[in-house]
Structure formats: structure tokens, C-alpha cells
Amino acid sequence: QVKVLNFMTYGEPAATIKPGSRLNLVLGPNGTGKSSFVCALCIGLGGSTKLLGRADNVKEYIKRGTDRGWVETTLSGGPRQPDIVIRCDMEKTAEGYTTSWRINRVSRTKKEVTELVRSINIQFENLCQFLPQDKVVEFARMNEYELLVATERAVGSTSLYETHQTLIAMRAEVKQKEVTAQAQKQRLDQLKLENQQLERDYKRFNQRWKLLHRVDVMKKKIAWMHVREKQLKAKQLKEELVKADKAVAQANEEAKGDETPARRRRDDADAAKRTANDLQNAIKRKEEEARLAADKLEKDGNAVTELRERLDGLAAASQKQKAEVKQLQDKLTKVEATVESLPPVPDHSAKIQVLQQEMNNIRDQLAHLEAEKGQLADAAHNARIEHGRLAGELRQCDSLKYQRMQALVQAQRAHGLDSATDWVNRQRAADAFKGEVVGPIGLEIKVKVPDCAPYLEQAAWWQLQNFAVTHQEDANMLLAEFKRQNIRSSAVAYTGDIHAPIASNSAPYRAYGVACSLDEVYDAHPLVKHCLANLCSLDKVLVMEQHNMQAIRALMEQHHIGQVFTPQLKVSYIPSAHGGREDASIATSGLFPSRVLTGAVGADIDQRKQQLQARLAQVEASIQQLDGQVAAAQQREAPLHARLDELSGHRSQLAKETSLASTKRANLNRAYKAGQTHLAKLEARADPLAQAPGLERQIARALVAHHATLTKQIEAALKQWQLLQQHAVAELVWRELDMQAVAMQRALDSRRAAVRLLDKAARAAKQRYQLAEDEFKRAKQVAETEHPLDKATKDRFANMPNDM
């Protein structure tokens, strides 16, 4: 058996898992501790956490919220042998974690525990014996050889695996010796062939030695023939070098005679070029003087033209000024006559005062009506505020129910449940059902004790998305529709009396610390209450305020209670399959937070919606009544506004007549005064003809300056022409001298090039001679060293041809 405390999903008190003697299957929904049991087997018997494919650190396997835990594993010792109890204690520390081991209550090391486990052939690293769910992919990748080895180690004794490995090693050794023998036989055959080849080579060697001796004598003859050949070549190259040096000396003498005339002719050309450049600069200066004179001449001409135009316009300006004076005098006479012919300004002050009094009375009546309208508008505004508040509260009710529906769809993955609910509501409105249809059940539940919502949700989890009906034909209709729409929901039928009381009484169990039963912690439609009591036995599921495992065990064994919820755990009583109480067990599982039943949704929300809708209708009627009263007040205002506009228009017309008459007289007086001022300014202005003598004198002075500028321009043009002629002559002289200097320089460069070529040829000849002399010396030295001559050698040379 395996006992665990504060290990992964197992908390306090310690949970005991006792397998049977044959095949054992551990079944249960997610989160009930199946994987925790497998991890406890591995870690409790010294297995590595890396074999589990989960966390590598042992402290991650200690239940959250606790600092220590333990795993105790009881193993069979064999026939007529005591059991082996191995216990692993784990504790979190600041540095990480610590573990301690005991075998049959005696402290041991982890190494001793591991050796003991291996001695009874428990192999956690062997995937054929221990296969966690996170290692399935690794198992699937094993090849045939790896599977065979793992199977031998898992099902056989250790000698089977060792014998198999010995056979594999011996087979490999036999193959290696066969390969070695074959290689040695091939080597023997090869050595025989090599011996036959050496015998043929020996005979050829004797013949080769004789030929090599004759070749050696011929090589000496050739070496001394090369020495003679290089000596003759060096002598010939020396003669060519002497001739080249003489040709270079003669060419240098001829080139020195041509340098002085070429340099003098180049100096003359440069002097002629400087003279031409000086004349060119003088021409540019004269061009600038001529341009400035032309600009001044044009400016003086424009000034004379402008003065003559001004002189011609003085007579016209004098006539225009006199015409303006005469026209303004006539206009002032007409204005004065118009002012004298105007009628007196009318006085309407008495009529305007009577009209003003009547307008004030009408305004008082309108103010009284406006105050009445304001009160009615305030009342209507307050009614609309109340209408908005009621509509918002009504939407909030619908939103709470919508939120509950979305939470239910997401938690149960019941996609399409909202459309199923709409379909049920439409059928109910059409009176298509034979009995009552309520649901989904999760939307009809109102939890009175919020802390018990997780208990109720976990106990009735698989019924929350279902619908409750009182007639089996209605259930069949719902099931057919859900199947057609592929909706994960169902219909549960209760054909009994839904108004009969449910026998749920938790009072007899108060002594065990029971607070209530789950049937007492919520309100719902009577049909929902009976369905959950019938399907989930909520009237027999108890809630305890504190976790007391001893009290829970006594309660379950003495009163046959199936489930108990505490703030930490859900405790279930699992009877034996054979009916014996001694084989029954108690299982614990963790709690999940409520995901659906939080929030107030149920029958009270529907009742609240009916109240809000009734009040909303009353407020809408009040708003219509107030709007009618405001419209009546506006109708009474209309004739008063019309009369007020009429009186205001009459008063404005009278005031306008008075204002127009006064304004017209004032405008005429201002125009008359402005005309008199303008006339005085015109009469004070001088006659333009008085400026004529001065303009004539200015024209005369401008003509004199224009004549002087013209004379200066002509002189500059004549000087520029003379300079152009001199520059043309100087440029011809410069170009002629430059061409002669270039021709003489080219001839000199050609002669110098010829000298360089001769000098280069002489240096090449000298280099060839030196190379030939060096080759002769080296060849003679090599011949004297490697092939010395004696009388016998000279005699052999005499019998050999001289042309090799």
C-alpha cells in the first residue's frame, strides 16, 4: 500500500491507497490525484524526479501551503517474509529542500534505499516497467533492440540480461578473428608476388650499371663543352658592349649642341605671350569703361525724357485742378439747398411709450407661462431620470443572467446553450409544452450562503447545463432539438409532486460539526430542487465548518453519509465492491473555486424584473402626461408671442422714421462741412504751371551731362580699337615663336629619346656580358669540381664527337 501526506493534490490527513492482488486500474476525472499517486510511487522508492517529466525539484511535489510531507510505501517481502516499509520525508528549506529515508522505521541513506529497490527488480528508469504519461513519446521512439533489452530487464532475472550481453560480445569477437585471418592470407600472397618482381629487377640492375658508367663519362664531356661555349659567348658580348658605348657617347655630343637654341626660342615665345596678355587686360579695362559710359548715357537719356514728360503734363494738371474746384463748389451749393428743403424731424415718443407699456404686460404673462413650463419640464426631466434608472436596473438584471449563461457555457463547454435557452423560451411562450420546463438549472439557482457555492457547484456540476421538465414527452422534444442543433445539454424529468417538501434535515448531525446540507444553502424553482435532490442527493450531502477527519469517518461509517464538504477538501465514502465495510475506503479530493454559481441569479431576479417593468410603465405614462401639459402651455404662449412681435414691429417702425430723418440731416451737414474743407485745400494748392521754368533748367543741365558722357564713350571706343590692333599683332608674333619653340623642342626630345634608347641598349649589352661572364666562371668551377680532367679522361674525350 501507499500512504501520502501533503504530497501534490493529497493534503491532510494522510491518504491511504491500497491496491488489490491482481490488475489495478486508477480511474477518475482530472485533478483527483491519479498522476500524484504515480509520482508518489517513484519518489517514495528513491526514483529520480527527471523520470517523471515534471518538476525536477522535490519541493515542487510538496503540497502548496505546507512546508513538509511524506510518502510511505509498503512492499511485499515474499513468501513467509515480513513486509518492507520505506518512508521518504520531505521538507522545504530556505536553500531548497531536504529528504530523509527510513526502512522499517530505521534511518537509511537514499543509496541504501535505491539498492534495496533494485534488488527486488524495481526499475523506474525502464520504460517497459514504469511508464509515466509524460514519457509516452520517448517510449514510442524506442527501436526493436532497445525494446528487447528493456523487456529482458523488466520480466526476467538479472542473469538473462547478462547472458544475452555475453553472447553478443562473444559473437563480435568471432567475427573480428575471421577478419584478421583473411587479412593475413592476403598479405602472404602479396609477399610472394613481390619476391618474383625483385628477381627480375636484379638482372636489369647489372645492365643498368654498365650504361650509367658510360653516361658519366659523357656527362663530363658535355660539362666541359658547355664551359667552352659560354667562354665564346662572353667574348662576343664584350665586343658588342664596346660598340654600344661608342654610339651613346656620339649621340650625347650631338644632343648638347641643340639645347641652347631651343631654350632661347622658348624664352622669346614666353615674352611675346606676356605682351599679348598685357594688351588683352588693357582691352578689358577699356571695355568696362565703355560699358559704364553707356549705362550712364542711358540713365541721363531717361532723366531727360522724364523731365520733358513732366513739363508737358503741367498744363493738363493745371486745367484738372481748376475743374475740381469748380465741380466741388457746385456740389456744395446743391447740398446746402437740400438741407434747407428737408422737413422737420417727427416726434413719436408718446406712441412709443403706450406701445412699450402694452409690451411689458405681455412679457409678464409670458414669464408666468415660462415659469409654469419650467416646473413641468423639471418634473418631466426627473421622470425621465427615473425611467433611465429603472431601464438600467432592468438591463443589469438581464446582464447578470447573461453573465451567468456565459460562465456556464465556458465552464461546461456547452456551446449553443444560449440558443437552446432562447428556443425553450419561444416554445414556452407558444404554449408548446405539456408540463413545466425550467432551465438551464445553473441559471435557476440562487446560493444563499456564498461560501457554499463551490460545494454546490462541484456536487451538481454535470446537471447545471441541463433543463428540468415534469413531463417525459417534453424531455423527448428537448432531446431531439438538442441533437438537431448539436448542443451539449440534456433534459431531466421529475414526474412527482414538485410542491411536496424535501426531507432534508441536518440537525441530527450537529454533534459531528455539520453546519447544514447542500439542499439548504440555495433557493430555486421547486422543480429544480426536486431534480437535484433526486439526481445528486443534495439533501444527503453535508457541509462542515471545520475539517475533522475523525468526525467525518465516524459520520460516514455510522450514518452512511456519502459525501461531506469542508473548507479544504471534498471527502467521499467509497463502499467495497463485495459489500464488506472492512474493505470500504474514504477518498479526499481538492476543491475548485466557483465558476458559475457566483452572483444573484434565479427566481428573485425574474420577480424583480416584473416589478421594474410595472414601475417603468407608470413612469412612461407620467412622462406622456407632463409632455401634454408642456404642449398646452406652449399653445397659450403662441398668441402672446405674436402680439408682442406685432407691437415690437410697430414701435421699431416709429423709431426708424425718427432715426432716418435725423440721420439724413446729420449726414448732409457732415458732407457739407467736408466739402468746404476739401475746397479750401484745393484753393490753397499752387498752380502746376509755376514749376515749368525750373523743369526747363533741369533739362538743360541733363543735356550737357549727356553730351559729356557721349564724348567719353567715343574716346574709349577709339582707344579700344587701337589696343585690339596691337593685340592682334602681338598674338601673331607669340604664336609664330611658340610654334618654332615647340618644333625645336620636339627635335631635341627625339634626339634625347634616341640617346636613351642607345644608353638602354648599352646597359642591356653590359648586363648580358656580365651574365655570360658569370655563367662561364660558374660552369668552369662546376666542371673543375665535379668533372676534373686527367690524362685518361682526355683520351676518352678524344674518341668522342665534339658535336653533342
Side-chain angles (χ1 to χ4, degrees), residues 117-319:
V117 171
R118 287 180 178 175
S119 68
I120 57 179
N121 202 28
I122 296 177
Q123 306 168 16
F124 286 109
E125 71 279 1
N126 191 343
L127 296 182
C128 287
Q129 190 179 101
F130 180 75
L131 180 59
Q133 63 180 5
D134 295 309
K135 294 289 184 175
V136 173
V137 175
E138 185 176 341
F139 175 76
R141 292 174 179 171
M142 293 175 66
N143 57 32
E144 297 176 353
Y145 174 75
E146 293 172 338
L147 287 172
L148 176 60
V149 172
T151 304
E152 289 176 349
R153 296 178 61 189
V155 302
S157 63
T158 57
S159 61
L160 175 62
Y161 171 71
E162 293 173 355
T163 303
H164 188 192
Q165 294 300 315
T166 302
L167 287 173
I168 293 173
M170 293 175 67
R171 177 59 180 162
E173 184 178 356
V174 169
K175 288 184 177 180
Q176 182 64 33
K177 289 183 178 180
E178 290 176 352
V179 171
T180 304
Q182 182 68 22
Q184 290 177 353
K185 183 180 179 181
Q186 292 177 357
R187 177 61 178 163
L188 178 61
D189 295 338
Q190 183 179 1
L191 289 175
K192 290 180 180 179
L193 293 174
E194 291 178 357
N195 185 48
Q196 295 175 1
Q197 183 69 29
L198 290 173
E199 290 178 353
R200 290 193 297 270
D201 291 344
Y202 175 74
K203 294 178 181 179
R204 293 174 182 173
F205 178 75
N206 289 329
Q207 296 176 358
R208 182 175 178 276
W209 184 85
K210 295 177 181 180
L211 293 173
L212 289 175
H213 182 68
R214 182 171 175 79
V215 169
D216 184 57
V217 175
M218 294 179 70
K219 285 183 178 179
K220 291 181 180 180
K221 174 70 172 178
I222 292 172
W224 283 102
M225 289 180 69
H226 285 170
V227 171
R228 178 61 179 168
E229 181 182 357
K230 293 184 182 299
Q231 184 180 16
L232 294 175
K233 184 178 180 181
K235 183 178 180 180
Q236 181 182 358
L237 290 174
K238 185 174 182 181
E239 294 174 355
E240 293 178 359
L241 176 61
V242 172
K243 293 179 181 180
D245 289 340
K246 290 181 180 179
V248 170
Q250 183 179 357
N252 282 328
E253 289 296 330
E254 293 175 355
K256 288 180 181 178
D258 294 338
E259 289 181 357
T260 302
R263 185 169 54 254
R264 289 176 181 174
R265 189 56 50 89
R266 171 50 58 190
D267 293 340
D268 295 341
D270 293 340
K273 184 178 180 181
R274 287 193 294 272
T275 302
N277 290 337
D278 293 339
L279 292 172
Q280 181 67 30
N281 293 332
I283 290 171
K284 290 181 179 180
R285 289 194 295 272
K286 289 301 177 181
E287 287 180 350
E288 181 65 18
E289 291 179 4
R291 187 186 63 79
L292 293 175
D295 293 343
K296 190 172 185 307
L297 189 64
E298 182 180 2
K299 184 177 180 181
D300 292 343
N302 293 335
V304 171
T305 302
E306 183 181 357
L307 289 172
R308 285 178 174 172
E309 290 176 353
R310 287 176 57 188
L311 182 62
D312 295 338
L314 289 178
S318 177
Q319 293 295 329

Side-chain angles (χ1 to χ4, degrees), residues 720-771:
Q720 183 181 0
W721 170 248
Q722 295 173 358
L723 291 172
L724 285 172
Q725 290 178 335
Q726 296 175 7
H727 176 264
V729 173
E731 188 173 9
L732 288 174
V733 172
W734 164 64
R735 292 191 182 279
E736 178 66 24
L737 292 173
D738 184 67
M739 290 174 64
Q740 294 176 4
V742 169
M744 294 177 71
Q745 185 64 37
R746 287 177 180 172
L748 181 61
D749 292 341
S750 298
R751 193 175 294 279
R752 286 176 177 173
V755 172
R756 285 195 295 272
L757 290 175
L758 291 172
D759 185 64
K760 184 177 180 182
R763 288 196 302 271
K766 183 178 182 180
Q767 187 175 6
R768 289 195 300 273
Y769 166 69
Q770 290 176 350
L771 290 174

Side-chain angles (χ1 to χ4, degrees), residues 471-511:
H471 202 284
Q472 187 60 42
E473 291 187 10
D474 294 339
N476 295 336
M477 183 189 302
L478 263 66
L479 291 174
E481 181 62 22
F482 295 162
K483 183 178 180 180
R484 187 185 66 81
Q485 296 188 24
N486 194 21
I487 297 173
R488 291 182 57 185
S489 183
S490 184
V492 293
Y494 180 78
T495 57
D497 184 8
I498 63 175
H499 298 291
I502 299 174
S504 58
N505 186 10
S506 59
Y509 313 118
R510 302 291 186 190

